[in-house]
Amino acid sequence: MSHETYYVPAQSRWPIFASIALFLLAYGAGTLINGLKTQTGDTGLLLLLAGAFMMSLILIGWFRHVINEGMDGKFSPQADLSFRWGMSWFIFSEIMFFVAFFGALFYVRTLAVPWLGGEGEKGVSNMLWQGFEAQWPLLTTPDMEQFPGARAVIDPWHLPLINTAILISSSFTITLAHHALKAERRSAIILWHGLTVVLGVIFLFFQASEYIEAYQELGLTLESGIYGATFFILTGFHGLHVTLGTLMLIIIWIRVLKGHFTPDSHFGYEAVAWYWHFVDVVWVGLFLFVYVF
Amino acid sequence: MNTITKVEHTEHHGPAAGISRWFYTTNHKDIGTLYLWFSFAMFLTGGCMALMIRAELFQPGLQLIQPDFFNQMTTMHGLIMVFGAVMPAFVGLANWMLPMMVGAPDMALPRMNNWSFWILPFAFAMMLSTLFMDGGAPNFGWTFYAPLSTTYAPPSVTYFIFAVHMMGISSIMGAINIIATILNMRAPGMTMMKLPLFVWTWLITAFLLIAVMPVLAGVVTMMLMDIHFGTSFFNAAGGGDPVLFQHVFWFFGHPEVYIMILPAFGIVSEIIPTFARKRLFGYSSMVYATSSIAFLSFIVWAHHMFTVGLPLMGELFFMYATMLIAVPTGVKVFNWVATMFRGSMTFETPMLFAIAFVVLFTIGGFSGLMLAIAPADFQYHDTYFVVAHFHYVLVPGAVFAIMAGVYYWLPKWTGHYYPETMGKVHFWCSFVGVNLTFFPMHFIGLAGMPRRIPDYALQFADFNMIASIGAFIFGFSQLIFLVLIIKTIRGGSPATSEVWDEPTGLEWTVPSPAPYHTFTTPPEVK
Ligand code: HEM
Ligand SMILES: [Cu+2]
């Protein structure tokens, strides 16, 4: 490992403008959301869009800058390792984000709802809603007027099962693509990687149609009580991550086509693959604990 | 590599001229300075809020501010001190010192480092702007329990949520950078068990940050959904549970308090050996104690919730797990005392702050142990006793350690010794002020005065008055600190590379002030 050549970039304008963009995004989102009920969120929407636009430009520019540095050979193996540590810990932080929601789900299912139904030492909370019966999925909420429970929940053995198969196979196809990259088999990598992208898009399509079914046919909505709340926050954030992952897959595919990677130097590719495996593993957890059990 | 020449070029110029240096910098020393000044500004801002609180509490009855504004002040004070003052100060010290301590040319990801910092001023601008919004700033306490922070919150809570998200992004990126630096940028020969303790404690702190900041993001996201999108996470009417909020929050919150104290342990472990002129007693036990504290911090969160009606097994588990933390903490205190034992000690300002840390932090640890006794906590919970506890661990704990660190490394940063007498005056004023403020809170807390209340029963009047006087003494003493820092930056007797009497560590092998770039070629560590 050569320590002498660690690349310390010169001054950079990207970060501070990225902070401004983030501020616009956040302030805009706050104003927009606060104005939702009164229809006064227009300035918010404007700020949000400005922030989003600025952020996209910055991310494109910043990544292009780093990619060019990489192609100029500025990153020593040690710098490469810094990126690897960075990406790994970033994925760990993402896992912890999901842990919060899974934790909420487990707590509600195994403790809060049974207690609300009169079970255990905390059974007194049943006095508030006498006659409420604990069940999971929770279709009859304590206050059906404020939170009308869903008529039914998604059947795990149709779309979700197919989606599980899709995501798991996409983990295999991206691994095949990675192997092809290392063996310099260009057409194979284009094929397998392209297949991964297609699988990701199909997954998202099914997920969207599932949401439509939930809202239009099952009455399973954000407002349908704690089952809907946990269902949508978990699948929703997962879906957002798949969207981001698919975007990353597409961009990295373009980079493959442009010949940016060599068999022994393709960290960018591996980072995307790691991320994809991560959304895959989260899905398996979702499938088991949100849909099946 | 064939690019050495290019790299050399970028690495050997000094700082850029003009103000843009601070906006665009990728230099760990610049960024450390930015963090430290930002933290100090927030410390004074949050301090003014604390003084407003103490002014109102000077006497019973409502004199100066309305209850709702009082609640906004306690909330903003807590949030600003935790996220704006203490955490950024430690990150600033890490930025300045870690690369020098491990013999690295800079942080592992310098541009991201700049981004981590510059998010903060924007996040806090947003947070502070809530003070001027309709309905006022968040008024639900720094712990923002639902349903106070959901059903009954002012509209500004939405901005609060997004500000927390921004701080989280900043902290996570900062922590990733620190871990990558420590794991990947050590000079040859700098093995893990040779790392200075400040580096070790920061490694573990960074791990805690990456583990729990996303959980904080999760809990505020659930709040946002409950407030605006009709979910019922924290609403029993839909099958949710307000107590769920507390579980998720404290799963973040307890590790968070260790995030604010572990780097302090590290600083004190650097300072005491230098001024006792002895090696640190029990280096490896310090490392293991820090690691076990970090591990335990994940399984004690419900000690903040003894009174919510946990099942008996829960109360017992969290009570004993919490008490277990006292063991590694005791190991640390023992090691500091053993380091001083029969050392040839001198009492320069950093050492004064460090010794005060050991004594006063221990008082806070003991009150923590009292609070950990579940049946006793039924009495103590939500009283001023809790306020006394956490202020003892945070002010003469975390904040004193930060000040100790600043005095210790200031000559290295500026190239000048600070005026010693002035430093001592600052120390003694702070010491007296802190104890006057927080010690009486133990008594009024045990006597039953609730926290977060703008008015109180007459029997608490005397101690409250003492506390308020102490608070003003402490607050105004910090101006001495400000003047001292500015004076030291401007001039003073020139510091040697070693600064102190044979301190250990790579940072003392480079000149004072430390050149803009240090260790562009890594040193060999024997
Ligand atoms: C021996 C170690 C410690 C023990 C056993 C301990 C125990 C406790 C307990 C049981 C409570 C809850 C009291 C209640 O609300 O009724 C508490 C509150 C608190 N502790 Fe500690 N603690 C320890 C160390 C620390 C440290 C090192 C810090 C921070 C640097 C800290 C910061 C806090 C804070 C901020 C709160 C109050 C949070 C709030 O309700 O606003 N503690 N501690
Ligand atoms: Cu705690």
Side-chain angles (χ1 to χ4, degrees):
Chain A
M1 196 191 287
S2 83
H3 283 267
E4 285 78 9
T5 54
Y6 199 88
Y7 173 62
V8 179
Q11 289 201 325
S12 170
R13 286 166 199 241
W14 301 118
I16 184 140
F17 286 103
S19 306
I20 296 172
L22 190 64
F23 175 75
L24 289 177
L25 270 173
Y27 207 91
T31 312
L32 176 68
I33 292 176
N34 264 6
L36 278 182
K37 285 186 189 105
T38 48
Q39 252 94 54
T40 51
D42 290 354
T43 30
L45 185 64
L46 229 71
L47 289 177
L48 180 72
L49 289 177
F53 181 68
M54 187 169 163
M55 189 60 111
S56 328
L57 288 187
I58 289 168
L59 286 182
I60 293 170
W62 193 341
F63 271 108
R64 169 178 297 166
H65 192 134
V66 177
I67 288 165
N68 286 338
E69 285 172 341
M71 313 254 288
D72 287 351
K74 284 193 178 151
F75 299 129
S76 62
Q78 197 191 3
D80 193 64
L81 199 55
S82 289
F83 290 138
R84 283 165 196 274
W85 278 124
M87 190 66 192
S88 321
W89 287 103
F90 168 66
I91 290 178
F92 174 62
S93 78
E94 290 268 48
I95 292 173
M96 291 308 293
F97 185 64
F98 280 97
V99 163
F101 300 130
F102 274 110
L105 172 69
F106 295 147
Y107 174 79
V108 168
R109 280 186 62 166
T110 52
L111 297 173
V113 170
W115 284 338
L116 213 50
E119 213 177 87
E121 296 168 68
K122 277 189 70 174
V124 282
S125 49
N126 192 231
M127 290 191 309
L128 271 176
W129 282 282
Q130 279 168 7
F132 168 74
E133 270 176 53
Q135 47 170 199
W136 195 266
L138 184 67
L139 298 182
T140 313
T141 63
D143 183 346
M144 283 297 277
E145 261 170 40
Q146 203 187 347
F147 297 105
R151 283 183 292 284
V153 298
I154 303 279
D155 174 7
W157 306 113
H158 288 101
L159 275 188
L161 182 65
I162 299 175
N163 263 349
T164 310
I166 289 176
L167 269 199
I168 291 183
S169 18
S170 77
S171 254
F172 280 106
T173 52
I174 194 156
T175 307
L176 288 172
H178 188 196
H179 283 304
L181 178 65
K182 282 201 263 194
E184 283 188 282
R185 298 198 346 262
R186 219 176 128 76
S187 52
I189 169 177
I190 290 170
L191 173 73
W192 290 121
H193 194 94
L195 201 57
T196 315
V197 174
V198 172
L199 289 172
V201 173
I202 297 178
F203 174 91
L204 285 172
F205 174 76
F206 281 156
Q207 206 57 2
S209 44
E210 183 181 294
Y211 273 20
I212 293 171
E213 184 195 338
Y215 259 79
Q216 293 184 343
E217 278 153 45
L218 306 177
L220 176 61
T221 67
L222 283 171
E223 291 91 358
S224 61
I226 191 65
Y227 184 83
T230 52
F231 175 83
F232 281 107
I233 204 146
L234 277 159
T235 56
F237 272 110
H238 178 262
L240 282 179
H241 281 78
V242 177
T243 313
L244 183 67
T246 310
L247 216 64
M248 285 160 62
L249 283 173
I250 294 172
I251 292 168
I252 216 77
W253 196 23
I254 297 171
R255 290 193 60 198
V256 170
L257 294 178
K258 282 191 166 180
H260 280 188
F261 299 118
T262 64
D264 43 33
S265 161
H266 50 262
F267 165 70
Y269 192 86
E270 283 170 281
V272 174
W274 293 348
Y275 196 79
W276 194 251
H277 290 309
F278 149 71
V279 296
D280 191 18
V281 171
V282 172
W283 174 261
V284 175
L286 274 173
F287 179 64
L288 291 179
F289 296 115
V290 176
Y291 292 94
V292 178
F293 292 109
Chain B
M1 288 253 142
N2 52 2
T3 50
I4 291 175
T5 43
K6 260 188 203 158
V7 174
E8 299 267 292
H9 169 72
T10 50
E11 277 181 1
H12 281 283
H13 60 65
I19 184 95
S20 71
R21 162 183 178 188
W22 302 104
F23 295 136
Y24 305 145
T25 183
T26 49
N27 179 286
H28 71 101
K29 300 184 182 83
D30 283 352
I31 295 173
T33 305
L34 286 168
Y35 265 111
L36 288 169
W37 276 115
F38 174 76
S39 149
F40 199 70
M42 286 295 119
F43 182 57
L44 296 183
T45 312
C48 290
M49 294 172 175
L51 292 187
M52 260 191 263
I53 295 170
R54 280 319 319 174
E56 175 56 49
L57 293 175
F58 185 69
Q59 283 181 331
L62 288 182
Q63 5 267 339
L64 301 169
I65 52 180
Q66 291 306 306
D68 185 52
F69 188 68
F70 183 91
N71 288 341
Q72 295 176 30
M73 285 297 101
T74 53
T75 306
M76 294 301 260
H77 162 74
L79 290 167
I80 286 178
M81 287 305 196
V82 168
F83 295 102
V86 174
M87 290 169 67
F90 283 127
V91 183
L93 292 171
N95 259 294
W96 251 102
M97 301 318 297
L98 292 190
M100 285 203 272
M101 286 178 150
V102 302
D106 205 296
M107 296 291 278
L109 304 159
R111 273 180 295 232
M112 194 170 86
N113 199 15
N114 174 306
W115 199 18
S116 309
F117 171 75
W118 275 107
I119 288 175
L120 284 183
F122 290 99
F124 280 88
M126 189 147 112
M127 180 91 109
L128 286 169
S129 73
T130 59
L131 280 165
F132 307 101
M133 289 180 183
D134 280 346
N139 55 3
F140 30 68
W142 85 277
T143 50
F144 50 102
Y145 281 8
L148 279 180
S149 61
T150 51
T151 317
Y152 305 103
S156 62
V157 64
T158 316
Y159 296 95
F160 155 82
I161 289 172
F162 283 107
V164 170
H165 275 309
M166 289 173 75
M167 291 167 209
I169 294 171
S170 155
S171 292
I172 291 170
M173 289 196 300
I176 288 176
N177 219 333
I178 286 170
I179 294 200
T181 306
I182 299 173
L183 293 182
N184 191 33
M185 306 282 286
R186 298 189 312 278
M190 178 63 88
T191 57
M192 290 305 276
M193 288 316 264
K194 276 190 198 153
L195 284 179
L197 262 172
F198 182 60
V199 181
W200 253 116
T201 51
W202 243 117
L203 178 66
I204 291 166
T205 304
F207 166 74
L208 289 180
L209 275 168
I210 303 177
V212 300
M213 289 311 281
V215 176
L216 175 69
V219 79
V220 293
T221 305
M222 288 190 262
M223 273 170 61
L224 185 79
M225 299 298 288
D226 267 14
I227 297 170
H228 293 291
F229 300 104
T231 55
S232 51
F233 289 106
F234 309 133
N235 189 339
D241 188 351
V243 175
L244 169 62
F245 173 89
Q246 297 186 25
H247 279 294
V248 188
F249 176 81
W250 285 116
F251 185 82
F252 147 79
H254 188 80
E256 166 68 20
V257 305
Y258 280 96
I259 287 165
M260 294 189 284
I261 206 67
L262 292 184
F265 289 168
I267 294 171
V268 169
S269 308
E270 299 294 326
I271 292 175
I272 289 182
T274 299
F275 296 97
R277 291 165 184 78
K278 274 175 67 190
R279 282 181 54 199
L280 182 72
F281 184 88
Y283 172 90
S284 50
S285 68
M286 285 294 211
V287 173
Y288 298 128
T290 313
S291 316
S292 34
I293 289 177
F295 167 74
L296 288 174
S297 73
F298 285 106
I299 54 164
V300 298
W301 75 88
H303 64 214
H304 297 273
M305 305 165 56
F306 283 141
T307 57
V308 301
L310 299 176
L312 182 62
M313 279 312 287
E315 303 263 336
L316 289 173
F317 173 80
F318 286 106
M319 170 164 100
Y320 289 125
T322 304
M323 289 178 169
L324 215 52
I325 294 201
V327 178
T329 313
V331 169
K332 292 196 156 270
V333 174
F334 178 85
N335 285 348
W336 291 320
V337 175
T339 307
M340 288 188 271
F341 183 64
R342 305 183 77 177
S344 49
M345 299 217 283
T346 50
F347 300 94
E348 288 85 346
T349 313
M351 184 62 162
L352 289 176
F353 273 105
I355 294 173
F357 172 94
V358 175
V359 176
L360 300 181
F361 170 79
T362 306
I363 293 179
F366 278 129
S367 56
L369 267 177
M370 289 173 67
L371 291 166
I373 304 166
D377 185 65
F378 278 58
Q379 165 73 13
Y380 307 149
H381 180 62
D382 263 350
T383 69
Y384 258 82
F385 191 76
V386 178
V387 179
H389 157 67
F390 67 74
H391 281 94
Y392 259 86
V393 284
L394 284 171
V395 185
V399 173
F400 270 23
I402 291 164
M403 288 173 177
V406 170
Y407 279 107
Y408 187 52
W409 288 308
L410 199 57
K412 176 58 61 190
W413 302 337
T414 62
H416 307 127
Y417 284 103
Y418 58 85
E420 187 63 53
T421 320
M422 203 175 166
K424 288 201 166 113
V425 172
H426 171 227
F427 168 76
W428 284 110
C429 290
S430 301
F431 182 85
V432 170
V434 152
N435 286 296
L436 270 186
T437 314
F438 299 119
F439 210 79
M441 291 184 185
H442 291 111
F443 307 135
I444 44 177
L446 290 178
M449 176 167 160
R451 64 191 283 208
R452 292 172 174 159
I453 284 288
D455 186 7
Y456 48 83
L458 294 181
Q459 72 266 31
F460 305 126
D462 294 347
F463 282 134
N464 268 297
M465 194 174 278
I466 298 174
S468 291
I469 294 171
F472 277 86
I473 297 178
F474 181 77
F476 282 96
S477 330
Q478 303 324 310
L479 299 178
I480 309 177
F481 190 40
L482 178 65
V483 172
L484 177 141
I485 291 172
I486 294 173
K487 271 180 87 157
T488 312
I489 293 173
R490 292 228 174 132
S493 53
T496 59
S497 323
E498 282 208 317
V499 180
W500 309 108
D501 196 10
E502 297 186 14
T504 47
L506 288 175
E507 75 263 40
W508 310 112
T509 62
V510 302
S512 308
Y516 198 56
H517 295 285
T518 35
F519 299 129
T520 36
T521 331
E524 192 72 42
V525 180
K526 304 254 155 35

